[in-house]
């Protein structure tokens, strides 16, 4: 059992800003690997070519900037997605808590998965637009930008096209949660010590390991989702999808028939390679941004270190700390001199 607690020294807006900045930086640095993953899933890039030849082919055909196709959409999606995920996570945690304020590890993982699913469903149209921008030719684009892509998809294919494949997000959350739970319940056996003694490096490795297992198990659903997002009769070559299908089940069947069962895991290598740099950059950036906020709020001496300011009650929230400082300044303010006649 664990007790859910967040750092009250950072406000909700600051926490959201830290998460958004960390996510945008990590997404931008790993965008080329994300592009190669999506192209392999859709079938626009043959898996036997390898990552380096596939990336070089994209650069030669469309320029080096093509490696970041769709990244702006992914970054803009971060802020509403993070806000929804944080708000949903709090609700689910409170729902799963017992009377003592404790929550089991499985319930915590379920709360995170459900919160992620809610945020993904609400912001799903932006994911469809990102996929369309990735698969199109940058030199001969069908969409001139994010807003034009929304407008074109809606008017040519209808509103439901923006939610094509959304059910696979819900289905994929099941193996994803199971994979995460399997890793976390075996961490004590892996490290031969209880979880409360794990160092920050061990926790980082645990997160990467859990993400790798969870994403591998849920990857077939992600592959089919990408194919459904990309396929469109309004795009050249039907969006570059390597199989033609009429629905989710038919897409599974056609993919296995054409490329075999392993075809459901096309692009997995690029996806796994981005886990360590993605989470490494995200966690380190978030931690630094949090330290900047703690420094501005008056809890630590410098954002470059974690040395606490002596005499500051770390249990106070930022507003309470500012009010206390204001009262202290008022009490110790020297009296103003009076003029004597």
């Amino acid at each position: 059992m664990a007790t859910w607690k967040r750092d009250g020294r950072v406000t909700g807006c600051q926490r959201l800003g830290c998460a958004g900045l960390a996510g945008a930086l990590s997404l931008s640095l790993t965008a080329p690997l994300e592009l190669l993953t999506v192209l392999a899933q859709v079938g626009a890039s043959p898996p036997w070519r390898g990552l380096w030849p596939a990336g070089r082919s994209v650069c030669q055909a469309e320029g080096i900037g093509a490696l970041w196709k769709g990244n702006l959409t992914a970054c803009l999606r971060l802020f509403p997605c993070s806000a929804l995920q944080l708000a949903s996570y709090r609700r689910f945690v409170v729902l799963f808590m017992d009377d003592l304020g404790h929550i089991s590890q499985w319930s915590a993982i379920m709360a995170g998965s459900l919160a992620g699913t809610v945020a993904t469903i609400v912001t799903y149209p932006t994911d469809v637009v990102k996929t369309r921008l990735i698969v199109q030719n940058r030199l001969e684009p069908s969409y001139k930008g994010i807003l034009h892509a929304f407008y074109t998809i809606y008017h040519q294919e209808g509103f439901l096209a923006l939610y094509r494949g959304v059910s696979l997000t819900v289905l994929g959350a099941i193996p994803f949660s199971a994979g995460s739970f399997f890793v976390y319940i075996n961490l004590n056996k892996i490290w031969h010590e209880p979880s409360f003694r794990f160092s920050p490096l061990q926790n980082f490795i645990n997160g990467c390991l859990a993400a790798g297992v969870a994403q591998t198990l849920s990857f077939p659903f992600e592959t089919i989702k990408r194919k459904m997002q990309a396929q469109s009769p309004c795009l050249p070559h039907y969006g570059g999808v390597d199989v033609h299908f009429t629905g989710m089940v038919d897409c599974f069947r056609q993919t296995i028939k054409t490329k075999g069962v392993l075809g459901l895991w096309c692009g997995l290598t690029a996806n796994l390679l981005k886990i360590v740099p993605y989470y490494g950059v995200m966690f380190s950036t978030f931690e630094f941004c949090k330290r900047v906020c703690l420094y501005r709020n008056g809890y630590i001496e410098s954002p470059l270190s974690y040395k606490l300011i002596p005499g500051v009650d770390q249990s106070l929230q930022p507003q309470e700390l500012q009010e206390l400082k204001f009262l202290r300044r008022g009490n110790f303010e020297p009296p103003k001199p009076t003029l004597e006649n």
Side-chain angles (χ1 to χ4, degrees), residues 158-272:
F159 176 76
L160 293 180
L162 294 170
Y163 280 90
R164 191 174 294 155
V166 68
S167 59
L168 290 157
T169 299
V170 180
L171 294 174
I174 298 174
F176 189 94
S177 301
S180 300
F181 183 66
F182 174 78
V183 171
Y184 280 111
I185 63 175
N186 288 286
L187 289 177
N188 294 348
K189 299 177 183 178
I190 296 174
W191 296 109
H192 303 290
E193 61 179 342
S195 58
F196 62 86
R197 293 183 180 177
F198 290 164
S199 66
L201 178 59
Q202 286 175 308
N203 286 325
F204 172 72
I205 295 174
N206 296 339
C208 291
L209 181 60
V213 173
Q215 290 183 20
T216 300
L217 293 177
S218 61
F219 202 77
F221 298 96
E222 186 74 11
T223 298
I224 300 304
K225 183 186 77 172
R226 292 298 181 194
K227 291 181 186 294
M228 294 186 69
Q229 288 177 338
Q231 179 177 271
S232 171
C234 302
L235 295 177
H237 310 292
Y238 274 75
V241 183
D242 55 353
V243 294
H244 298 289
F245 49 88
T246 57
M248 179 182 68
V249 176
D250 188 46
C251 187
F252 270 106
R253 184 168 53 245
Q254 295 298 332
T255 301
I256 295 173
K257 180 181 177 180
T258 305
K259 309 182 74 174
V261 175
L262 293 180
L264 296 173
W265 278 271
C266 283
L268 179 63
T269 302
N271 188 70
L272 293 179

Side-chain angles (χ1 to χ4, degrees), residues 93-117:
V93 164
V94 172
L95 182 65
F96 294 150
M97 271 184 182
D98 59 18
D99 295 335
L100 298 177
H102 295 160
I103 182 171
S104 66
Q105 200 167 45
W106 170 246
S107 297
I109 293 175
M110 280 299 299
S113 299
L114 290 173
T117 302

Side-chain angles (χ1 to χ4, degrees), residues 25-318:
L25 184 59
S26 56
L27 279 174
S28 298
L29 290 177
T30 59
L33 288 172
E34 172 67 11
L35 177 128
L36 295 178
T37 300
V38 173
L39 291 180
Q41 288 175 321
V42 171
S45 175
W48 59 85
R49 295 182 61 180
L51 296 179
W52 178 253
R56 185 173 55 188
S57 175
V58 171
C59 291
Q60 290 175 347
E62 305 178 48
I64 193 170
L67 295 175
W68 280 266
K69 288 191 296 183
N71 183 60
L72 179 59
T73 309
C75 291
L76 292 176
R77 178 175 177 258
L78 267 177
F79 291 95
C81 190
S82 298
L84 286 168
Q85 191 165 358
L86 282 173
S88 302
Y89 182 68
R90 293 174 192 169
R91 295 290 184 182
F92 286 123
V93 164
V94 172
L95 182 65
F96 294 150
M97 271 184 182
D98 59 18
D99 295 335
L100 298 177
H102 295 160
I103 182 171
S104 66
Q105 200 167 45
W106 170 246
S107 297
I109 293 175
M110 280 299 299
S113 299
L114 290 173
T117 302
V118 170
T120 301
I121 291 175
V122 174
T123 60
Y124 191 81
T126 58
D127 196 39
V128 174
V129 169
K130 186 193 84 169
T131 302
R132 294 290 182 91
L133 293 176
I134 286 177
V135 299
Q136 74 172 356
N137 190 314
R138 185 163 169 259
L139 302 181
E140 300 175 357
S142 301
Y143 310 111
K144 299 177 182 178
I146 300 172
L147 294 179
H148 183 254
F150 272 111
Y151 177 85
T152 305
I153 294 172
Y154 175 77
H155 281 273
Q156 290 185 348
E157 305 174 49
F159 176 76
L160 293 180
L162 294 170
Y163 280 90
R164 191 174 294 155
V166 68
S167 59
L168 290 157
T169 299
V170 180
L171 294 174
I174 298 174
F176 189 94
S177 301
S180 300
F181 183 66
F182 174 78
V183 171
Y184 280 111
I185 63 175
N186 288 286
L187 289 177
N188 294 348
K189 299 177 183 178
I190 296 174
W191 296 109
H192 303 290
E193 61 179 342
S195 58
F196 62 86
R197 293 183 180 177
F198 290 164
S199 66
L201 178 59
Q202 286 175 308
N203 286 325
F204 172 72
I205 295 174
N206 296 339
C208 291
L209 181 60
V213 173
Q215 290 183 20
T216 300
L217 293 177
S218 61
F219 202 77
F221 298 96
E222 186 74 11
T223 298
I224 300 304
K225 183 186 77 172
R226 292 298 181 194
K227 291 181 186 294
M228 294 186 69
Q229 288 177 338
Q231 179 177 271
S232 171
C234 302
L235 295 177
H237 310 292
Y238 274 75
V241 183
D242 55 353
V243 294
H244 298 289
F245 49 88
T246 57
M248 179 182 68
V249 176
D250 188 46
C251 187
F252 270 106
R253 184 168 53 245
Q254 295 298 332
T255 301
I256 295 173
K257 180 181 177 180
T258 305
K259 309 182 74 174
V261 175
L262 293 180
L264 296 173
W265 278 271
C266 283
L268 179 63
T269 302
N271 188 70
L272 293 179
L273 285 176
K274 77 177 184 181
I275 288 178
V276 173
Y278 179 85
Y279 286 105
V281 172
M282 184 172 65
F283 288 150
S284 57
T285 305
F286 181 85
E287 182 63 25
F288 180 75
C289 292
K290 180 183 173 182
R291 288 187 180 187
V292 172
C293 293
L294 291 176
Y295 170 71
R296 291 179 59 86
N297 293 346
Y299 293 99
I300 60 176
E301 293 184 351
S302 170
L304 301 179
S305 67
Y306 199 72
K307 188 176 181 180
L308 304 179
I309 296 179
V312 174
D313 188 351
Q314 301 291 325
S315 65
L316 294 177
Q317 295 186 359

